[in-house]
Amino acid sequence: MMAPVRVRFAPSPTGHLHVGGARTALFNWLTARHHGGAFVLRIEDTDRSRSTDEHIASIVEALTWLGLDWDEGPPAPGYRQTERLEIYRAHAEQLLAAGRAYYCDCAPEELDRQRQAAHQRGETFRYSGRCRDRALGAGALRLAIPPAGATVVDDLIHGPVTFEHGQLDDWILVRTDGTPTYNFCVVVDDVTMQITHVIRGNDHLSNTPKQILCYEALGYAVPAFAHVSMILGADRSRLSKRHGATSIQAFRDAGILAEAMVNYLARLGWSHGDQEIFSREELIALFDIKDVASSGAIFDATKLEWLSHEYLKTKAGAALAALVEPFLRGAGLPAPADPARLAAICDTVKERAKTLVELVERARFYFEPPAAYEAKAAQTFLTPEGARRLDLLCARLPAERAWTPAVIEQAYRTLAAELGLKLVDLAQLSRLALTGGTASPPIFDVVALLGRQEALARLRRARAAAGGAS
Ligand code: GLU
């Protein structure tokens, strides 16, 4: 019987979660969910000088926002490498006892000298193996790798990649000061967490042969590997801050919907025919790590915004209302006490917004009266004739208890017919009065949602601006 699928996302908490890391997390999560397996979150914090609790919290927050829930990991204990030092020590002893590792007391200065000399010759430095047969009792612990032959990484995305042992060396597992090295911790963690598929960025591909040799030395089966290609900017260089926002929180704060972000990240290097929009369930059903492209994927912010718009316009107003509150605060606007009203407001503007930030800007007029009227429209509409029409409108608008879009529309239609006007003439005049411009959601919805008192106050203000006696 096949072992249940177990995958892990193993960020180093030295910064925020970026697009590349988030996509790696997503591909792992989808693999786990597709196979009904487990998704493990492991924090690789052995680089103590750069790892911080704030970064762990930030990564956890970003994964949570994306909805990538983990089956094992923090806050449960035992998923931070700094909590696992005893486990690494035990495995180092096992390798030493089995004769698969040895101590080395070569002076760091001497190794540095050799390293520099190799670089000057244009060669990669390889440890000479000087201490291999010296049976020392202390020093740095090195893995004794088979000197001849090759190790093949049978990558699920790239196919077999061969590394000659002549290119590798007896790498250090534990430093002289007793601290385990990065590659050793990763192997011991993947072994003890029973990881079946290691899915990570292909910047780690060169570590993989070293790690495979360590699995073999420990006597454990090697997991499947998939190295996901890098994400590139439009200039095809590796995506970085130079290309604009890359942290997940920056996209959240720009008002991109989480569903859109997940959909976008899934399509960065993975595809299923020409389909662009995938529900989470579809992604889980269709995703296979083998279908991920081996070439780098280009990050396209315009496409992300397009997807965000697609999700925004189909999302229910009530769901948007729940998301929009921090953005209202950010724009200096009060959240309405009535969630149903906020939901209705969102419904009127979502068609024309790509992000929650834009949605709030388009809804701003619901929360505060226009600071000014669009000059050109004011010239056209705020005339003595405009003043007369505004007076009539104010007199004809329905009473409070009948304040609904349908009744308001009826009042407009009746007045337009009486005055021999087209409905649009009254509608544009009202838009200008209520929103300061001539582009807005359906005018009867706007009038209804502003409430009778506010709508009338704004119509009267415009009427005053139009001049003439009332
Ligand atoms: N901690 C590594 C990183 O953040 C990932 C290592 C791995 O997945 O094996 O790049």
Side-chain angles (χ1 to χ4, degrees):
M1 218 180 77
M2 291 248 298
V5 166
R6 290 176 58 82
V7 294
R8 83 312 191 264
F9 177 53
S12 306
T14 55
H16 297 296
L17 183 65
H18 285 249
V19 176
R23 184 187 55 162
T24 302
L26 174 63
F27 286 180
N28 274 289
W29 183 86
L30 287 172
T31 302
R33 296 292 170 262
H34 178 85
H35 293 284
F39 177 51
V40 179
L41 176 62
R42 176 171 85 222
I43 304 294
E44 302 206 324
D45 61 345
T46 37
D47 180 353
R48 288 186 196 227
S49 62
R50 294 171 59 223
S51 302
T52 67
D53 285 353
E54 287 71 29
H55 287 138
I56 296 176
S58 162
I59 291 167
V60 161
E61 182 188 82
L63 290 172
T64 306
W65 180 69
L66 291 168
L68 305 183
D69 54 333
W70 50 99
D71 306 296
E72 296 170 29
Y79 292 90
R80 286 174 70 153
Q81 289 185 324
T82 45
E83 295 172 307
R84 302 171 58 80
L85 297 175
E86 204 38 51
I87 302 173
Y88 308 133
R89 207 185 49 72
H91 283 80
E93 271 170 19
Q94 183 191 329
L95 286 171
L96 189 62
R100 306 301 297 260
Y102 62 89
Y103 283 118
C104 161
D105 68 355
C106 291
E109 302 76 33
E110 173 55 20
L111 294 175
D112 275 349
R113 202 191 54 71
Q114 292 176 14
R115 188 173 289 113
Q116 272 170 18
H119 284 174
Q120 265 159 19
R121 291 194 303 274
E123 292 167 13
T124 320
F125 169 69
R126 290 183 63 228
Y127 175 62
S128 65
R130 168 177 171 267
C131 297
R132 195 166 184 158
D133 299 315
R134 291 175 64 210
L136 298 172
L141 191 69
R142 289 185 182 271
L143 182 71
I145 72 160
T151 289
V152 179
V153 179
D154 207 358
D155 195 273
L156 293 171
I157 295 174
H158 299 276
V161 187
T162 302
F163 293 84
E164 298 292 335
H165 290 177
Q167 299 164 16
L168 306 172
D169 68 358
D170 290 349
W171 55 281
I172 293 178
L173 304 167
V174 183
R175 299 181 192 88
T176 312
D177 67 5
T179 56
T181 58
Y182 166 76
N183 275 309
F184 185 49
C185 295
V186 171
V187 172
V188 172
D189 288 341
D190 286 340
V191 160
T192 51
M193 293 177 181
Q194 297 168 306
I195 298 303
T196 56
H197 296 67
V198 171
I199 301 170
R200 60 184 170 203
N202 72 359
D203 47 338
H204 289 284
L205 182 59
S206 59
N207 287 328
T208 307
K210 294 164 127 189
Q211 295 182 3
I212 288 179
L213 289 166
C214 190
Y215 278 98
E216 288 170 354
L218 283 166
Y220 289 110
V222 176
F225 287 97
H227 290 90
V228 181
S229 294
M230 293 292 104
I231 299 178
L232 311 174
D235 59 358
R236 303 200 72 91
S237 69
R238 193 173 161 178
L239 190 70
S240 73
K241 283 205 189 97
R242 273 188 310 116
H243 297 100
T246 55
S247 91
I248 293 301
Q249 271 97 340
F251 291 105
R252 179 199 61 188
D253 296 345
I256 297 286
L257 290 184
E259 298 93 312
M261 197 74 215
V262 165
N263 193 148
Y264 182 73
L265 290 172
R267 284 285 288 102
L268 264 182
W270 174 82
S271 57
H272 180 75
D274 297 336
Q275 191 171 337
E276 288 292 357
I277 298 182
F278 296 86
S279 69
R280 205 168 271 258
E281 293 67 34
E282 277 178 302
L283 286 176
I284 291 171
L286 296 170
F287 186 81
D288 187 334
I289 191 71
K290 293 197 198 76
D291 296 335
V292 171
S294 57
S295 54
I298 294 184
F299 188 81
D300 176 355
T302 312
K303 186 163 166 200
L304 172 59
E305 285 194 346
W306 171 78
L307 266 173
S308 188
H309 176 61
E310 292 299 308
Y311 279 92
L312 238 161
K313 71 184 185 193
T314 52
K315 209 168 177 68
L320 289 172
L323 296 174
V324 97
E325 288 207 22
F327 294 91
L328 287 171
R329 233 176 298 126
L333 297 172
D338 175 9
R341 175 163 178 259
L342 183 55
I345 287 175
C346 291
D347 271 332
T348 68
V349 285
K350 66 187 183 188
E351 272 291 334
R352 283 150 50 86
K354 294 191 285 294
T355 65
L356 293 168
V357 169
E358 209 180 317
L359 182 131
V360 163
E361 275 320 310
R362 293 201 181 274
R364 180 175 283 279
F365 68 82
Y366 284 113
F367 303 93
E368 56 189 25
Y373 300 113
E374 240 174 58
K376 206 158 166 267
Q379 250 178 18
T380 312
F381 292 105
L382 300 185
T383 57
E385 177 55 21
R388 192 172 78 88
R389 292 175 188 175
L390 285 166
D391 274 339
L392 288 167
L393 254 182
C394 289
R396 299 295 183 82
L397 280 173
E400 182 82 65
R401 61 192 150 65
W403 196 256
T404 67
V407 181
I408 293 166
E409 177 170 355
Q410 199 44 56
Y412 268 78
R413 286 192 184 281
T414 309
L415 181 61
E418 272 177 39
L419 297 176
L421 294 173
K422 289 206 226 68
L423 190 60
V424 66
D425 298 324
L426 286 182
Q428 290 303 74
L429 171 64
S430 304
R431 278 206 171 90
L432 185 66
L434 300 174
T435 73
T438 50
S440 85
I443 189 64
F444 310 120
D445 291 340
V446 170
V447 176
L449 279 167
L450 279 172
R452 189 168 196 279
Q453 205 184 340
E454 181 65 19
L456 284 175
R458 291 190 194 184
L459 292 172
R460 289 195 183 110
R461 197 170 314 130
R463 193 244 168 274
S470 63

